[in-house]
Amino acid sequence: MLLIVGRIGKPHGIRGEVTVEVRTDEPETRFAPGTVLRTMPGAVTRGGQEPAASPGVPYELTVEAARWHQGRLLVAFEGSLDRDVAEALRGTLLTVDSADVAAPEDPEEFLDHQLVGLAVVTPTGEHLGEVARIDHAPASDLLVLRRPEGRTALIPFVKAIVPEVDLAGGRVVVDPPGGLLDL
């Protein structure tokens, strides 16, 4: 499974650097010099339209350098030597293979892709749906629950509401307070 770790934004300067919208908890590791990232076509919104990804984007990009500038990650890729090349990369999604991502050492910590697709059940075994994705909110992470009838519900990923995550069993036990799933 490919995991998105960033999205290339606009060029920065004239030497081929690009801004990267970071989508990983470990940007220093994922964008370290020498790291090879796979690319996936993305779309860039310009004037309300979403053009197709630029042709000629390589299958892989190797990080040459990365640095933080005014709260944004700037990355230079090998072979991206000028602004025109950098502009052609705009909108490209950067990915890593989930097999290359080490599982957290803390048994109470999980990677998003480990949770997506797990069945969500109550402590009594009632099926509530499945984890569609994880939203990272300022207060706490949220499990986005896809309900059987097609609706979604947000569940704070805190021990009081999510007492058990059973990866081997393919399920997440949720003990929601009254009304949480009706919001």
Side-chain angles (χ1 to χ4, degrees):
M1 170 188 285
L2 293 178
L3 306 174
I4 297 172
V5 296
R7 181 177 168 277
I8 296 177
K10 63 184 181 180
H12 178 82
I14 60 171
R15 294 195 173 102
E17 281 185 311
V18 294
T19 60
V20 172
E21 174 189 317
V22 176
R23 296 186 185 176
T24 176
D25 290 341
E26 300 175 329
E28 288 75 18
T29 302
R30 301 285 166 243
F31 296 99
T35 301
V36 177
L37 300 168
R38 290 189 193 169
T39 62
M40 190 184 320
V44 179
T45 302
R46 291 186 189 135
Q49 298 178 350
E50 296 210 2
S54 300
V57 172
Y59 175 71
E60 295 179 335
L61 292 170
T62 301
V63 176
E64 185 174 287
R67 64 188 176 98
W68 291 97
H69 176 71
Q70 297 180 347
R72 292 180 188 229
L73 182 63
L74 301 180
V75 178
F77 295 104
E78 290 179 8
S80 179
L81 305 175
D82 63 31
R83 189 175 182 90
D84 292 335
V85 174
E87 183 63 43
L89 297 174
R90 192 173 190 171
T92 300
L93 298 173
L94 302 169
T95 66
V96 296
D97 191 325
S98 62
D100 297 335
V101 178
E105 292 179 18
D106 182 351
E108 296 295 314
E109 186 177 339
F110 304 95
L111 299 173
D112 291 4
H113 73 276
Q114 293 177 298
L115 301 172
V116 172
L118 294 182
V120 178
V121 298
T122 65
T124 60
E126 177 189 353
H127 180 74
L128 299 175
E130 74 175 35
V131 178
R133 70 176 189 276
I134 311 302
D135 283 352
H136 299 280
S140 73
D141 292 338
L142 299 167
L143 297 177
V144 178
L145 173 65
R146 184 179 308 116
R147 303 279 287 150
E149 68 275 4
R151 294 184 309 116
T152 59
L154 299 177
I155 300 173
F157 193 29
V158 296
K159 191 76 167 168
I161 299 173
V162 185
E164 181 184 352
V165 174
D166 180 6
L167 294 178
R171 68 189 189 121
V172 176
V173 177
V174 173
D175 190 9
L180 179 67
L181 300 178
D182 298 327
L183 297 176

